[in-house]
Amino acid sequence: MVSGGCVGAEEEVDPEAVAPAAAAEEAVVPAAAREVVVGYALTSKKAKSFLQPKLRGLARKKGILFVAIDQKRPLSDQGPFDIVLHKLTGKGWQQLLEEYREAHPEVTVLDPPGAIANLLDRQSMLQEVSELDLTDYHGKVRVPKQLFVNTDPSSIPAAVRRAGLSLPLVAKPLVAKSHELSLAYDPTSLTKLEPPLVLQEFVNHGGVMFKVYIVGDAIRVVRRFSLPNVDEGDLSNNAGVFRFPRVSCAAASADDADLDPGVAELPPRPLLEILARELRRRLGLRLFNIDMIRQHGTRDRFYVIDMNYFPGMQSDILEHAQPVLCFGKANLCLYILDIIDRRISCLILFLL
């Protein structure tokens, strides 16, 4: 049996090891130290799944207060906030938040709206990954060949031929708000797709995906079941478009599955560290995840196939939430949430 892994980029912190030290630090921290106020602007669905009552209660014990932001009022009239946590789209909200950032540079905004926009458009989402050269870091990271399509469906087969893409192809909505994808096996099926979309070459990967959660300097990796390999027989015997509402939800965890070690082995730690560090720098984000696969039959050839900002978490994941407070010399590292259960691990880290 294999399990997920956790690595830290510059300096790994073990929450269990930190907790006693943090408790000792608390004894010498001035009693008058004020609480940390986290203003949040989330959809009702996101707020319900993320801000569980137990999380709120545990956070309050550590001096962390979550406060809902009223989107109908100016941000400067609310707070004061130490952190603004959000996952909203729309030009009105983006303008409101950018103006607030300019007026209050002392507030940490997770994350800047302009930076988040980079992960909402699948046409350009993987551009930064494609420009990286990580060949000397215990593995190679690439992106699959892909094609942006915004034309009449009948012309898609010809566009695919011109671009040199090979079937089968994964079709994804252009706007990364939907997790739905389709798998097209033959040229005729391509004409049944609904642009605008991105077509991505399918890479055999043993049916296992690595979800790499990047939060500040911390990295946590979990395995999820994915689409199975496709061979020549599948291409000959299948036709049409196969739709998948959501491939890698939490219920599809592969961490406790009895897998081929060649498929289950996590990507090398040095590779993940440099990848996370470079993407944080290039994207300007601190709270996102990468969907990563290993090309089947290889050990060191990886592909990044998708990225998401502020990845979702199922409600039962918060069952064992426990916040840990850690004081550093230069920065206050506030681990608002350390979620660990047998199906998924995710670390939410805020840097002040």
Side-chain angles (χ1 to χ4, degrees), residues 6 15 213 215 218-220 335 337-339 345-349:
C6 178
Y213 293 89
V215 191
I219 304 169
R220 188 174 293 273
Y335 285 86
L337 188 59
D338 181 22
I339 306 164
S345 298
C346 182
L347 180 64
I348 302 300
L349 168 66

Side-chain angles (χ1 to χ4, degrees), residues 203-209 225-229 259 263 294-296:
V203 178
N204 282 336
H205 52 281
V208 172
M209 175 192 301
F225 285 115
S226 180
L227 299 179
N229 288 345
L259 300 171
V263 172
R294 174 191 285 110
Q295 185 173 355
H296 190 62

Side-chain angles (χ1 to χ4, degrees), residues 80-208:
F81 303 119
D82 297 287
I83 299 170
V84 172
L85 175 66
H86 72 104
K87 191 177 183 181
L88 297 178
T89 57
K91 293 182 179 180
W93 167 252
Q94 291 184 15
Q95 182 178 351
L96 191 70
L97 195 54
E98 289 292 1
E99 292 174 352
Y100 179 77
R101 290 181 67 217
E102 292 180 7
H104 298 275
E106 75 282 1
V107 178
T108 299
V109 176
L110 295 178
D111 272 308
I116 295 174
N118 293 330
L119 298 191
L120 298 181
D121 183 348
R122 286 199 169 99
Q123 182 180 6
S124 57
M125 174 193 293
L126 303 181
Q127 182 64 35
E128 296 295 346
V129 181
S130 67
E131 295 176 357
L132 294 176
D133 181 8
L134 305 181
T135 55
D136 296 329
Y137 292 91
H138 304 273
K140 301 177 182 179
V141 178
R142 304 175 179 177
V143 299
K145 288 183 180 180
Q146 62 178 38
L147 174 68
F148 167 61
V149 176
N150 190 20
T151 185
D152 183 80
S154 64
S155 65
I156 295 178
V160 167
R161 286 195 300 273
R162 288 194 299 269
L165 271 64
S166 300
L167 293 165
L169 294 174
V170 179
K172 300 181 179 182
L174 177 63
V175 179
K177 292 182 180 180
S178 170
H179 296 282
E180 179 178 324
L181 59 84
S182 304
L183 192 61
Y185 279 89
D186 64 290
T188 302
S189 66
L190 296 174
T191 64
K192 301 177 182 179
L193 299 174
E194 300 176 4
L197 50 80
V198 169
L199 296 176
Q200 195 176 84
E201 277 193 341
F202 180 79
V203 178
N204 282 336
H205 52 281
V208 172

Side-chain angles (χ1 to χ4, degrees), residues 250-269:
S253 173
D255 278 331
D256 292 329
D258 185 13
L259 300 171
D260 180 341
V263 172
E265 182 182 8
L266 296 177
R269 172 172 172 164

Side-chain angles (χ1 to χ4, degrees), residues 323-344:
V324 179
L325 198 59
C326 168
F327 294 92
K329 292 182 179 179
N331 296 324
L332 175 61
C333 301
L334 184 59
Y335 285 86
I336 288 185
L337 188 59
D338 181 22
I339 306 164
I340 302 175
D341 76 359
R342 64 176 178 267
R343 294 196 309 165
I344 182 175

Side-chain angles (χ1 to χ4, degrees), residues 279-296:
L279 288 180
R280 282 198 310 270
R281 181 179 66 84
R282 289 168 175 259
L283 296 173
L285 295 172
R286 284 167 288 181
L287 183 56
F288 63 103
N289 90 282
I290 299 170
D291 289 347
M292 194 172 182
I293 59 174
R294 174 191 285 110
Q295 185 173 355
H296 190 62

